Amino acid sequence: MEMNTTPTYHLNTTGVSDGNGFEYIDPYSGLRRSLKIMTLIIYCLAFVLGVLGNGAVIWVTGFKMKKTVNTVWFLNLAVADFLFTACLPMSVTYLALDFHWPFGKFMCKLNTTLTSLNIYASVYILMVISVARCVAVVWPVWARNHRSVRKASCVSLGVWVLALILSSPYFVFRDTAPAFRNEEVINCFNNYALSDVYDESVYELVIFRFKAMTITRIVLGFVVPFTVIVSCYAVIIHRLRRNHTLASQSGRTFKIIAAIIITFFLCWAPFHIFSVIELVHQITSFANLSLDYVITIGIPITTSLAFINSCLNPLLYVFVGQDFRDKVRKSFLNMLEAAFQEEESDSHTDTNTGNTSQSQMKSLESEL
């Protein structure tokens, strides 16, 4: 995912002449070549696993099961990840052709916009799921009375609209142009100048837009949702520890909570950290070879790691905590269907005070 106008790791030639007898020798050509091969392999794996895994989730939640709040959440999450992984072959082609984009300007814009849409939609859907689970634990009776497929669908629609708004700048700024070293090679890049002419007069505007886009993606695409997710599960853990009845049954819950937080953080934190490093490097007026080397290695690796999240989500939210010994004889689709089922207790409210603890337990188990 190329988020800047001149990605450092796109310089994959051994030398460039400026026409005056001076030739720049790229000291990282071998490293860039190895990283490109690694990235191609990861993208191909993410495509296969992501399309199959998310496609199966879409099939089960969208066509095989009765619509519930849980199926609405997971269906939207799977759609976001599926759209992204389905577009990965274009990125694979771009890399395989040595950063030549053969699909035209519109597809250049659309591909990056869909990538950004996945970032925001999937992260905010995960945040919504976390908030819903927190509410179900803290106010179980209220949650059962107010949970509905219609409300969940409206919330999901709001997430998609927000994600589309946050992604729309990429459709504006994304552009294609001949490469500096070879006019036969067409690059797909972020043209923050919105012009074919790039000089010092637009430098400050380009830097401002680049900073705004990067900071927005870091804050709204990671810091805010991650803070909400961690806060929600901190409340859940605190509530479980206070309720001894629930805590005795919470072993699987803690595993899922740990998996959600750790996976989310490991997949996205490195990407956003290197986005900050790259931003500092781009706006710094002096050359820093050590920082350039770090970015050369880090950007492709962290980008690939972030993309892997799209094929991990089906495993994370379907299989973590499931008893495989009891389900090993079941088919893949049956396992998915069992994972998304909600307890019958969610459809009604217990009026008997003596059943409150049991009702809360069933509600918690279905949410977590």
Side-chain angles (χ1 to χ4, degrees):
M1 177 169 43
E2 303 80 34
M3 292 298 182
N4 61 341
T5 54
T6 54
T8 305
Y9 61 93
H10 278 199
L11 296 175
N12 47 20
T13 59
T14 56
V16 177
S17 174
D18 64 357
N20 296 318
F22 174 78
E23 185 177 8
Y24 166 72
I25 303 299
D26 182 8
Y28 308 132
S29 59
L31 175 62
R32 296 183 204 279
R33 205 159 31 243
S34 300
L35 290 173
K36 187 178 76 171
I37 295 173
M38 178 209 71
T39 304
L40 281 170
I41 295 174
I42 293 177
Y43 280 19
C44 290
L45 289 175
F47 167 71
V48 174
L49 297 178
V51 168
L52 293 178
N54 290 294
V57 174
I58 292 172
W59 172 254
V60 170
T61 58
F63 302 100
K64 301 291 290 184
M65 295 184 65
K66 178 183 177 180
K67 285 291 184 294
T68 64
V69 173
N70 279 350
T71 59
V72 170
W73 299 142
F74 288 103
L75 174 61
N76 281 272
L77 179 61
V79 168
D81 291 329
F82 182 85
L83 286 176
F84 165 68
T85 52
C87 292
L88 275 177
M90 286 190 289
S91 298
V92 171
T93 303
Y94 188 48
L95 285 171
L97 295 179
D98 200 18
F99 303 103
H100 170 64
W101 184 262
F103 304 108
K105 180 182 294 187
F106 177 79
M107 293 306 299
C108 171
K109 291 175 176 288
L110 182 62
N111 186 57
T112 305
T113 301
L114 288 177
T115 298
S116 178
L117 187 68
N118 165 262
I119 292 176
Y120 289 112
S122 61
V123 166
Y124 279 106
I125 290 171
L126 297 183
M127 186 182 73
V128 168
I129 293 174
S130 302
V131 173
R133 290 172 172 176
C134 182
V135 171
V137 172
V138 178
W139 301 288
V141 176
W142 184 92
R144 287 196 303 275
N145 289 336
H146 291 82
R147 281 162 53 93
S148 69
V149 173
R150 181 178 180 182
K151 291 179 180 178
S153 300
C154 290
V155 172
S156 299
L157 179 61
V159 168
W160 282 103
V161 171
L162 177 61
L164 186 61
I165 292 173
L166 294 173
S167 303
S168 58
Y170 289 104
F171 194 84
V172 175
F173 292 124
R174 207 64 175 167
D175 199 1
T176 57
F180 172 75
R181 68 184 185 274
N182 185 355
E183 293 188 356
E184 294 182 358
V185 175
I186 303 298
N187 288 153
C188 177
F189 66 104
N190 288 327
N191 185 4
Y192 291 116
L194 294 178
S195 172
D196 295 333
V197 179
Y198 183 83
D199 52 33
E200 294 183 0
S201 62
V202 297
Y203 177 76
E204 292 185 2
L205 179 61
V206 169
I207 292 298
F208 172 78
R209 288 171 174 170
F210 175 50
K211 289 165 59 177
M213 293 287 288
T214 303
I215 293 173
T216 298
R217 187 176 69 248
I218 294 171
V219 174
L220 298 183
F222 179 75
V223 175
V224 171
F226 182 69
T227 301
V228 173
I229 290 173
V230 172
S231 300
C232 286
Y233 285 116
V235 171
I236 293 174
I237 292 173
H238 178 70
R239 191 59 175 251
L240 291 176
R241 287 178 174 175
R242 290 182 57 186
N243 191 318
H244 298 293
T245 303
L246 296 180
S248 62
Q249 303 291 333
S250 61
R252 181 173 66 89
T253 299
F254 280 105
K255 291 180 182 180
I256 295 177
I257 291 172
I260 291 170
I261 296 176
I262 293 173
T263 303
F264 181 85
F265 184 81
L266 290 180
C267 285
W268 285 107
F271 172 80
H272 291 290
I273 290 173
F274 271 88
S275 294
V276 174
I277 295 175
E278 187 183 23
L279 174 62
V280 173
H281 183 60
Q282 289 289 333
I283 65 178
T284 302
S285 58
F286 61 91
N288 189 324
L289 295 180
S290 298
L291 191 59
D292 183 44
Y293 183 76
V294 170
I295 293 175
T296 298
I297 297 177
I299 292 294
I301 294 176
T302 56
T303 301
S304 300
L305 182 61
F307 285 5
I308 288 176
N309 183 250
S310 292
C311 59
L312 287 180
N313 282 335
L315 298 176
L316 181 63
Y317 286 89
V318 176
F319 299 124
V320 172
Q322 296 296 319
D323 191 346
F324 281 96
R325 288 173 300 180
D326 294 338
K327 295 181 179 294
V328 70
R329 293 186 177 90
K330 292 187 177 182
S331 68
F332 178 71
L333 294 181
N334 285 338
M335 291 173 63
L336 286 174
E337 188 171 354
F340 291 132
Q341 284 179 345
E342 297 189 63
E343 297 289 341
E344 293 181 359
S345 60
D346 285 345
S347 62
H348 67 277
T349 304
D350 291 317
T351 57
N352 190 336
T353 306
N355 293 332
T356 301
S357 178
Q358 182 181 4
S359 172
Q360 290 179 354
M361 174 62 70
K362 289 182 179 180
S363 176
L364 177 62
E365 290 176 349
S366 69
E367 286 299 319
L368 296 173

